[in-house]
Amino acid sequence: MSAPVPCGRLVEVADGVHAHLQPHGGWCLNNAGLVVGDGGACTLIDTAATESRARRLRELVLERAGRPPRTLVNTHFHGDHTFGNSRFPEAVVVAHESARAAMVATGLHLTSLWPDVCWGELEVALPDLTFTDTLTLYTGGTRIELLHLGPAAHTTNDTAVWLPEQRVLFTGDVVMSGITPFCLMGSVEGSLAALRRLRALDPLVVVPGHGPVGGPELIDADEGYFRWLRGLARDGSEAGLDPLALARAVGPGPYAGLLDAERLVPNLHRAYAELRGAGPGEPLDVPALFQEMTEYHGGLPACHA
């Protein structure tokens, strides 16, 4: 097992708006967010994958806001963003209705993929409040808009968190920064559509699901990746290559500098499925494709959670 990286830190990206950043941002090292309004009222955006990281996040929130959050928004169902929900029992957990259903269906399955990670004592704390399209919250006078980026992008239940007055956008894993995008459970075309929608908001600050904070250039970079992926899949399919053979022949190309480049294999499977007419988010064999990705990588992908 690799040595763990340091726990996260809070960085203020606008007045009262904070990003919780976990270096280096790879597998299961997600970002979160904290919005502190008048009187210390606060909303948390996502949590962390392990018990220890979620406990540390709670400490940071209490230090910054002086009180626990009254609301907690999950941007999608993946465990690195939701496993820490139970460490904030005072909060009303909010998510897209499909995220809640996916959390019920998957439980703590993520922990089985990396059995050497010290996950700690975890339990699934489901959303108390769900929505289908948009929802507006107010935290101490701060307006927070929740936007479902459907039908599928990173997953089928992605929620962007938009603060229009501060022009700060929390994207969940629809946007990655310095990390290979991942659409195995979502859609290539849906990701491109979601990125266009996020760009139209005209954000000043973009807090991605993983990796460093940036601006709209993060959206542009991920759009470039998905366009490249789409073209690569078309060429490979026409050449009669399966996704694994294509990945081995071509590699990550201009995106070799991104972390977790092994995601190319499942991403190509999703792109191939769409070329065959599969709908956005149509289920693929995730365990089999994770194993294929591991084979391509030459071992289990690194997870420092």
Side-chain angles (χ1 to χ4, degrees), residues 58-231:
R58 181 179 176 88
E59 292 173 359
L60 292 171
V61 170
L62 293 178
E63 289 173 6
R64 190 60 54 93
R67 66 178 67 179
R70 65 172 59 171
T71 49
L72 193 172
V73 178
N74 288 146
T75 60
H76 60 293
F77 79 97
H78 287 160
D80 49 340
H81 296 257
T82 64
F83 281 171
N85 286 2
S86 64
R87 298 301 161 190
F88 298 89
E90 308 88 348
V92 173
V93 181
V94 184
H96 189 266
E97 63 178 6
S98 295
R100 190 183 197 280
M103 289 170 66
V104 171
T106 59
L108 298 174
H109 174 70
L110 178 66
T111 63
S112 69
L113 300 179
W114 286 281
D116 289 339
V117 168
C118 183
W119 297 98
E121 295 295 323
L122 297 175
E123 60 180 280
V124 177
L126 297 172
D128 307 290
L129 175 66
T130 64
F131 70 102
T132 57
D133 186 18
T134 63
L135 181 68
T136 301
L137 307 174
Y138 288 90
T139 295
T142 300
R143 181 183 178 96
I144 304 173
E145 297 179 0
L146 309 186
L147 312 172
H148 175 228
L149 301 175
H154 175 65
T155 69
T156 60
N157 49 81
D158 301 302
T159 293
V161 181
W162 171 233
L163 280 63
E165 295 177 6
Q166 295 83 0
R167 292 175 60 197
V168 176
L169 176 65
F170 292 86
T171 67
D173 286 359
V174 174
V175 176
M176 305 281 195
S177 175
I179 319 291
T180 303
F182 195 43
C183 62
L184 170 58
M185 299 179 185
S187 167
V188 177
E189 294 298 331
S191 293
L192 287 167
L195 293 170
R196 288 193 295 270
R197 185 176 177 189
L198 294 179
R199 185 184 290 107
L201 294 172
D202 192 25
L204 181 64
V205 177
V206 175
V207 182
H210 295 251
V213 172
E217 75 280 355
L218 301 185
I219 298 173
D220 298 340
D222 278 15
E223 182 181 57
Y225 177 87
F226 283 115
R227 291 188 181 279
W228 171 79
L229 178 73
R230 182 174 61 183

Side-chain angles (χ1 to χ4, degrees), residues 244-261:
L244 180 56
L246 177 60
R248 284 173 167 164
V250 177
Y255 297 95
L258 299 180
L259 289 179
D260 306 328

